[in-house]
Amino acid sequence: MAELKIDIDRLVAELQELSRLSATEPPAITRVLYTEPDLAGRAFVKAKCTSAGLVIREDAIGNLFARWPGSEPNLPAIGTGSHIDAIPHSGMYDGTVGVLGGLEAIRALQSSGLRPRRSIELLLFTSEEPTRFGIGCVGSRAMSGTLSPTALAELRDADGKRLDDVRTEAGYRGSLDTVRLKENHYAFFVELHIEQGPILEREGIAIGAVTAIAAPAALKVTLNGSGGHAGAVLMPQRHDALCAAAEIVLAVETAAKTTGSPDTVATVGICQVHPGAINSIPSSVHLTVDVRDIVLESRDRAFASIQETIQKVSTSRGVQAKVETISTDPPATMAGPIVAAIEAASVDGGFSCKRMVSRAYHDSLFMARLGPTGMIFIPCRNGYSHRPDEYASPEAMKIGVETLAQTLGRLAG
Ligand code: HGY
Ligand code: MN
Ligand code: MN
């Protein structure tokens, strides 16, 4: 394919501009679904896609599709893209490199004179992060039918607001039934993303050709004890919800460390204590548990043992436990032809490349249920992610965008 010119200065400037659309001061990024920074970020990306001459469509929950029509527009398109929503106090590259980098890849292909047979479509997924409604990948779950329109409508945020009401307030209309995409709606889908791990940087490798995405599962747990006066209630009479939670948090860590699989990870990311007063015994605690592994069997073993421990601890401490499963998703295997196309594109570009798994989940986890899917990773500094000092260098991003463009060009015929 003709020499591709990646305008990396333009991409870096666009990422900087997007990073200022945040509920927290840069470098910390907070961009939660349907909040003002999220809507402003979407408008920013939409304007950039419009100036690139792409045909824009937004679905009933705000998934954005920006299409470069091919010479045979009725053929299933090639999709690429990622997300711009960001968990509180996180970084400016997670997801955005796949959205603005995907746009840059399309612009480079446009200026190379390529006339693709298949259309190439950039996607900005609604709510890849679980922040607002407690479950990740809302947009791609809905597209792939993993989340039904009814379940989607009834998702509730911390204030009890329904997704259906919040998306309407945000200006997204239409029936939720229309979000679902048909099988093979895309001939291929390829997502560019920072690795969110240390391997590529540590080994000095430029490109990761992802072969599989880890299986995530999540719980929400509410522990109800009896609370009371910190001075008046003697220890034998207590049913302290936070002490029960503390035992459970450590059991979550032990469960991940004892599956025998080095890839099992488990995290309690949220722990809310009520009433939260220095002289009041915690009467209730709300926890979330996130468990993952590339191997489903070891993920499930950890997940089951955590739930057993929750029951044991709450019985022994006279605390009530309400456990709700948020999600239990299988791992996804990336499509062989896409992995091969990424490797071939890396060779053409003279870039080192290695096959690897993704420990983070992505919208590609669910796009893989719709058709052949692949992911391109680029290194990020120290593997840091979901923290303000997340960083991808212009050189790394340029190589990633060029590899993506070459891969899309090949796949688009
Ligand atoms: O949690 C994840 O793996 C993704 O960053 N949402
Ligand atoms: Mn993330
Ligand atoms: Mn991400």
Side-chain angles (χ1 to χ4, degrees):
M1 199 167 15
E3 164 81 4
L4 290 172
K5 287 192 183 44
I6 309 299
D7 186 340
I8 190 59
D9 296 338
R10 171 171 57 182
L11 175 57
V12 168
E14 288 171 347
L15 285 166
Q16 294 289 358
E17 205 173 331
L18 179 56
S19 75
R20 287 189 280 278
L21 302 172
S22 162
T24 40
E25 281 308 300
I29 306 290
T30 303
R31 195 177 298 126
V32 177
L33 177 65
Y34 300 142
T35 60
E36 196 277 324
D38 180 42
L39 298 175
R42 291 158 178 271
F44 172 75
V45 171
K46 203 159 84 175
K48 293 292 175 189
C49 291
T50 307
S51 355
L54 305 185
V55 179
I56 305 282
R57 174 174 84 86
E58 290 179 282
D59 72 11
I61 55 172
N63 289 305
L64 175 70
F65 306 84
R67 179 168 287 219
W68 176 24
S71 56
E72 298 177 45
N74 299 329
L75 286 176
I78 308 289
T80 187
S82 193
H83 63 98
I84 65 163
D85 62 317
I87 68 170
H89 301 285
S90 60
M92 63 178 273
Y93 298 93
D94 174 3
T96 55
V97 165
V99 175
L100 291 171
L103 174 59
E104 185 54 34
I106 291 173
R107 290 185 295 213
L109 288 168
Q110 286 174 327
S111 42
S112 75
L114 177 89
R115 186 80 180 90
R117 284 177 51 235
R118 295 179 183 279
S119 304
I120 298 180
E121 186 155 78
L122 178 71
L123 284 84
L124 183 164
F125 292 96
T126 268
S127 194
E128 189 272 351
E129 297 294 1
T131 313
R132 177 133 195 201
F133 288 100
I135 185 168
C137 301
V138 171
S140 48
R141 283 180 193 270
M143 282 181 204
S144 60
T146 312
L147 200 55
S148 71
T150 324
L152 184 62
E154 287 311 313
L155 287 177
R156 290 185 185 268
D157 68 9
D159 302 328
K161 286 182 132 183
R162 296 168 62 246
L163 179 137
D164 205 11
D165 302 327
V166 181
R167 61 113 186 183
T168 316
E169 280 163 32
Y172 298 110
R173 304 264 181 284
S175 153
L176 294 178
D177 296 338
T178 59
V179 177
R180 181 85 165 84
L181 297 179
K182 283 193 318 310
E183 195 90 12
N184 295 314
H185 174 81
Y186 291 109
F188 297 98
F189 177 80
V190 191
E191 179 172 5
L192 172 65
H193 205 286
I194 55 171
E195 179 197 341
Q196 297 178 302
I199 296 167
L200 291 176
E201 183 190 56
R202 191 173 54 206
E203 298 181 14
I205 307 259
I207 291 290
V210 176
T211 53
I213 301 175
L219 288 175
K220 52 183 171 188
V221 184
T222 306
L223 300 166
N224 285 306
S226 41
H229 192 292
V233 181
L234 299 180
M235 297 313 279
Q237 273 81 51
R238 292 191 176 200
H239 302 286
D240 183 327
L242 185 54
C243 290
E247 270 198 72
I248 289 166
V249 171
L250 290 176
V252 166
E253 183 187 48
T254 307
K257 287 180 168 177
T258 51
T259 60
S261 154
D263 296 315
T264 313
V265 287
T267 315
V268 174
I270 296 175
C271 177
Q272 289 155 344
V273 182
H274 179 81
I278 183 170
N279 56 353
S280 173
I281 303 165
S283 54
S284 73
V285 170
H286 170 70
L287 294 178
T288 57
V289 183
D290 174 314
V291 187
R292 311 183 194 197
D293 194 311
I294 291 293
V295 176
L296 187 57
E297 190 276 328
S298 31
R299 193 282 309 272
D300 285 347
R301 221 161 356 101
F303 203 54
S305 99
I306 289 165
Q307 294 177 78
E308 260 161 59
T309 307
I310 292 170
Q311 295 313 324
K312 270 194 215 127
V313 167
S314 42
T315 310
S316 71
R317 287 179 168 274
V319 164
Q320 259 176 359
K322 186 178 163 214
V323 182
E324 291 162 85
T325 298
I326 299 171
S327 57
T328 52
D329 299 297
T333 304
M334 299 292 97
I338 300 183
V339 177
I342 294 166
E343 288 175 322
S346 307
V347 168
D348 278 1
F351 310 134
S352 52
C353 174
K354 87 174 266 159
R355 295 187 174 206
M356 61 194 299
V357 299
S358 173
R359 299 178 191 287
Y361 63 71
H362 305 279
D363 289 301
S364 292
L365 180 67
F366 299 98
M367 294 307 281
R369 299 187 187 183
L370 277 175
T373 296
M375 287 195 80
I376 297 172
F377 273 175
I378 59 168
C380 51
R381 188 170 53 199
N382 302 327
Y384 291 165
S385 184
H386 282 192
R387 38 190 283 184
D389 53 355
E390 179 184 273
Y391 176 76
S393 70
E395 301 70 35
M397 290 194 284
K398 185 168 184 292
I399 291 172
V401 172
E402 186 171 333
T403 306
L404 175 65
Q406 290 282 0
T407 305
L408 295 175
R410 283 162 193 277
L411 297 173

